[in-house]
């Protein structure tokens, strides 16, 4: 390579044109690639400037940020062009999804700040906590009049609730029912009462009995470390006067959230599994690694990308706030019963290994696979996709 | 938007130039974006053609596919250009990592097929199994003389081992020691004896006692469904005459694999945790979801991207071959003891929840977090990165 490289650059320097035309050397080809890459970045910068003009027009005309049909059209057109040019359409789609997401997040930064009801009065109860501060920030940037009620402000509860349009409870699960009972009777007619706890049954009941107006339960499935709400899920459990709550839901959607509606019972059942049980199992696994002093960095080196990701899913828990997880795991007696059931089922499966019964292991395995149906194939595809992303990133 | 769209296209159709110059409407801006995007794909196609020329030069001059320093230089240059052009350098790096990976995989498809010792004779014992067939395919494409020995071919073992350069055992863990004892004495001097089981202690011992020549244990951390070996990990546990085994390791590296060397003991200890225990826990979790008839699709809808990924890690197991997992989980008495320990530690942690001892939960949590050290932060970063990829893909 060095030889070839110095040969071609030498020819360029002396400018001797007598030699017969020869195939370009690797250094010349690399210069061509660099030139093309510079042009690529130049086009991306031009694209960015046009998108900024689009944002201005959208702002003036009050148009929404997203245009899913437009995005799919764009992707289809580029896929078709890629196929014609002999490029892998999946590869080109992958690149354009990155471009579109970047563009969407950039637009949200400007457009998503708009208020659906600017000037409306919002009280965040527990506004001193991390989620409370986070939400207060979003409402403030969207031109709401934001008030904060924290433990020390209880004497001010009268003036703080006066003329209120939204009362948002952002206090720990354990005290949410008590706070709802306390605050509910003070709210003016038409004000929305909402909470953001990760449990919906008890809090919703308490809000409905403490207040006779519009009530809605919310469970944002993200933490205060999020910088964008783009495509973050918020579970919505309607309580009373759904239409009166609509502007709040519209505001969340405008910020980029995806809203999923369900009943409080279904929410709590599903969350018992996907939150409480998963968190407990992950916590216990990390604890086990620690107790056995497993050499974690060495284990990572000896791991395939998918095992690295498995370990990362364990590690990430411990970079977060233990009290948040304790709240979720310790929330209800049903959750304790669920954990007990789970450990018993582990015991039963251990019996298979003790008896060396591989045939029964395989039979149970196939039973689950059949019951999962298309989910396992999809899971394999999705997780393989992200693992490939991880591999090419690091 | 429609209004603005029809206004501007109307102007374009009639060609009336009398109106004062006005800011472009959203449809015009979208046309500009489409034009830029078409140019982007055009540049990608040009880039591809230049890369194909690079592959030809590399083939003629026997140059390696990868050039990590060149890749990092390229990324740095584009990041700098992005910053100057007012673009987010991370965004531009993200795009170029995709471009480079695509280019690398494309090059591997041509260059990675080269044989380090073309014409050498390779015998795959268990070559009728899925991993055996997979490896036979790679050796064949790299111009080796590939022979296959399966259960039915035992009478031919004499002629099949004659003049052999590599004997690769691709049989189940349980029979690997017996097969090594049977085949070892028949190998000609200088031939490499290697295996690919997911356990290294017993198989390596059996190969060393069954054969006096070069021996190496291999554990490819991927399955036969892989289409590329790009950056796939192969664990290497040297046995005897490491230098004589070097050409085999070079061949694996040329195919794109990353080789990690360790002792058989360390390998088996780490794999007990990252394979046997994780697989068992994941199997048991899936089994539990099935036993409780958890509505899995609804759970996915109600999940944040990170929970979706957690569920996908469970689901993916069940899209695969149960016997492979049974082999790993049931492999040794040490693994059974490990599973027992794990369930006992779950029981102890359940005690915390029964007693409602949130303080102790948080204390243990912090202990693990401290012991993990920078790993949890890194895990949080890595998993958040892949989750963002997942969000913008689906």
């Amino acid at each position: 390579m060095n030889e070839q490289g110095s040969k071609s650059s030498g020819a360029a320097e002396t400018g001797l044109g007598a030699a017969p035309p020869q195939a370009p050397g690797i250094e010349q080809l690399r210069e061509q690639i660099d030139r093309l890459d510079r042009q690529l970045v130049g086009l991306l910068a031009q694209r960015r400037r046009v998108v900024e003009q689009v944002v201005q027009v959208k702002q003036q005309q009050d148009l929404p940020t997203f245009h899913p049909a437009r995005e799919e059209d764009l992707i289809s057109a580029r896929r078709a062009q890629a196929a014609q040019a002999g490029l892998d359409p999946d590869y080109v789609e992958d690149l354009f999804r990155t471009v579109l997401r970047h563009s969407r997040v950039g637009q949200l930064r400007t457009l998503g700040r708009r208020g659906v009801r600017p000037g409306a009065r919002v009280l965040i109860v527990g506004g001193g906590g991390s989620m409370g501060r986070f939400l207060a920030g979003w409402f403030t940037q969207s031109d709401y009049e934001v008030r904060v009620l924290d433990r020390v402000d209880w004497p001010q509860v009268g003036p703080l609730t006066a003329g209120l349009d939204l009362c948002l409870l952002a206090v720990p699960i354990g005290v949410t029912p008590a706070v709802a009972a306390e605050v509910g009777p003070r709210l003016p007619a038409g004000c929305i009462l909402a909470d953001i706890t990760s449990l919906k049954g008890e809090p919703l009941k308490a809000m409905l009995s403490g207040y006779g107006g519009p009530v809605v339960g919310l469970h944002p499935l993200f933490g205060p470390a999020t910088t964008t709400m783009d495509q973050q899920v918020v579970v919505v459990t309607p309580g009373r006067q759904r239409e009166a709550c609509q502007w709040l839901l519209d505001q969340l959607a405008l910020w980029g959230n995806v809203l999923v509606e369900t009943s409080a019972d279904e929410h709590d059942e599903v969350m018992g599994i996907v939150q409480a049980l998963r968190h407990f199992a992950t916590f216990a696994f990390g604890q086990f690694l620690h107790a056995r002093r497993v050499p974690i960095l060495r284990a990572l080196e000896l791991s395939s990308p998918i095992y690295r990701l498995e370990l990362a899913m364990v590690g990430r828990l411990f970079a977060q706030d233990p009290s948040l997880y304790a709240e979720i795991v310790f929330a209800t007696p049903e959750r304790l019963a669920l954990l007990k059931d789970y450990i018993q089922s582990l015991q039963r499966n251990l019996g298979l290994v003790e008896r060396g019964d591989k045939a029964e292991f395989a039979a149970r395995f196939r039973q689950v696979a059949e019951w999962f149906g298309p989910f396992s194939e999809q899971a394999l595809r999705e997780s393989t996709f992200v693992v490939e992303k991880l591999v090419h990133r690091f």
Side-chain angles (χ1 to χ4, degrees), chain A:
Chain A
M1 179 194 60
N2 283 332
E3 229 177 282
Q4 181 67 25
S6 49
K7 201 201 298 176
S8 47
S9 64
E13 274 163 27
T14 56
L16 297 174
Q22 65 172 84
I26 203 153
E27 289 302 328
Q28 281 171 300
L29 292 171
R30 285 189 171 148
E31 276 164 29
Q32 284 184 36
I33 290 176
D34 286 341
R35 201 156 47 235
L36 291 170
D37 287 350
R38 271 197 301 277
Q39 290 177 34
L40 274 167
V41 176
L43 283 177
L44 290 170
Q46 280 186 52
R47 190 185 201 283
R48 171 62 172 272
R49 283 191 292 273
V50 180
V51 168
E52 275 161 14
Q53 288 179 270
V54 171
V55 170
Q56 282 179 3
V57 174
K58 281 183 178 172
Q59 250 178 329
Q60 284 157 10
Q61 303 182 11
D62 224 28
L63 299 173
T65 308
F66 298 126
H67 199 316
R70 154 97 185 136
E71 291 201 355
E72 293 315 310
D73 283 355
L74 190 155
I75 294 281
S76 301
R78 296 293 75 77
R79 281 187 67 98
Q81 188 193 352
Q84 273 205 324
L87 290 170
D88 178 0
D90 289 341
Y91 158 59
V92 170
E93 171 168 352
D94 193 6
L95 287 172
F96 274 93
R97 294 250 177 229
T98 303
V99 169
L100 289 178
R101 172 165 160 90
H102 183 75
S103 160
R104 220 161 55 218
V105 171
Q107 291 186 51
L108 265 184
R109 218 166 280 142
T110 315
L111 295 174
R113 296 286 142 104
R114 276 182 306 170
V116 169
R117 280 183 79 171
R121 298 177 192 94
V122 176
L123 176 66
I124 316 254
V125 183
S130 56
M131 243 350 237
R133 278 202 309 274
F134 173 80
L135 289 168
W138 281 80
F139 279 105
T140 303
Q141 282 173 341
S142 298
D143 301 321
Y144 287 84
E145 183 193 317
V146 177
R147 307 166 181 180
V148 164
L149 176 69
D150 223 20
R151 236 171 299 189
V152 292
D153 310 312
W154 272 108
Q156 258 71 58
V157 68
L160 284 172
T161 50
L164 214 55
D165 297 291
L166 166 64
C167 176
L168 194 54
L169 308 183
V171 294
I173 302 178
V175 299
T176 298
V179 171
E182 186 74 30
V183 151
R186 300 169 189 272
L187 300 180
C191 174
I192 301 172
L193 177 60
D195 79 313
I196 57 158
T197 53
S198 59
L199 205 67
K200 296 271 66 80
E202 284 306 313
L204 195 63
K205 222 181 289 173
M207 289 194 295
L208 287 169
S209 75
Y211 174 57
V215 167
V216 64
L218 302 173
H219 179 192
L221 297 181
F222 51 86
T226 311
T227 53
T228 163
M229 288 207 193
D230 181 40
Q231 302 195 33
Q232 299 275 12
V233 176
V234 177
V235 182
V236 177
T237 56
R240 188 190 295 123
Q241 294 180 40
R242 209 195 162 295
E243 326 73 57
C245 300
Q246 192 58 47
W247 70 265
L248 171 59
L249 305 182
D250 289 345
Q251 182 63 64
L252 293 171
L254 189 64
W255 283 338
N257 288 300
V258 174
L259 308 182
V260 185
E261 206 167 306
T262 181
S263 69
D265 283 349
E266 189 185 34
H267 170 275
D268 289 352
E269 199 198 320
V270 167
M271 292 302 156
I273 305 274
V274 299
Q275 290 202 319
L277 180 52
R278 277 320 280 169
H279 290 333
F280 175 77
T282 303
F283 161 75
F285 193 81
Q287 230 259 320
F288 185 68
L289 293 178
H290 168 54
R292 286 183 79 98
R293 301 289 188 278
V294 171
I296 196 84
L297 295 179
R298 189 65 182 146
L300 287 170
E301 279 171 16
L302 288 171
S303 293
S304 67
I306 192 82
Y307 296 135
R308 280 182 67 93
L309 184 55
E310 289 236 26
L311 288 171
M313 300 294 272
V314 177
R316 70 174 277 127
L317 186 88
F318 294 93
Q320 298 174 75
D321 179 2
S323 64
L324 251 165
Y325 291 102
E327 286 251 327
I328 289 170
V329 172
F330 288 71
T332 62
E334 289 78 27
R335 292 190 170 179
L336 173 60
L338 182 73
L339 301 184
K340 272 190 196 161
D341 275 4
Y342 174 61
I343 294 177
Q344 273 168 18
S345 100
L346 276 173
Q347 285 282 13
R348 280 193 299 273
N349 283 313
L350 179 69
L352 290 182
V353 185
E354 274 175 327
R355 294 193 299 277
D357 194 347
K358 285 190 199 182
E360 178 62 19
F361 177 90
R364 288 193 194 173
F365 193 103
R366 286 196 195 92
Q367 226 175 15
V368 178
E370 202 177 304
W371 178 71
F372 274 163
F375 167 62
S376 12
E377 284 297 338
Q378 179 198 328
L380 185 61
R381 238 176 14 249
E382 285 198 12
S383 52
T384 302
F385 171 83
V386 301
V387 161
E388 278 179 10
K389 286 292 165 190
L390 196 62
V391 168
H392 102 246
R393 176 68 185 82
F394 296 100

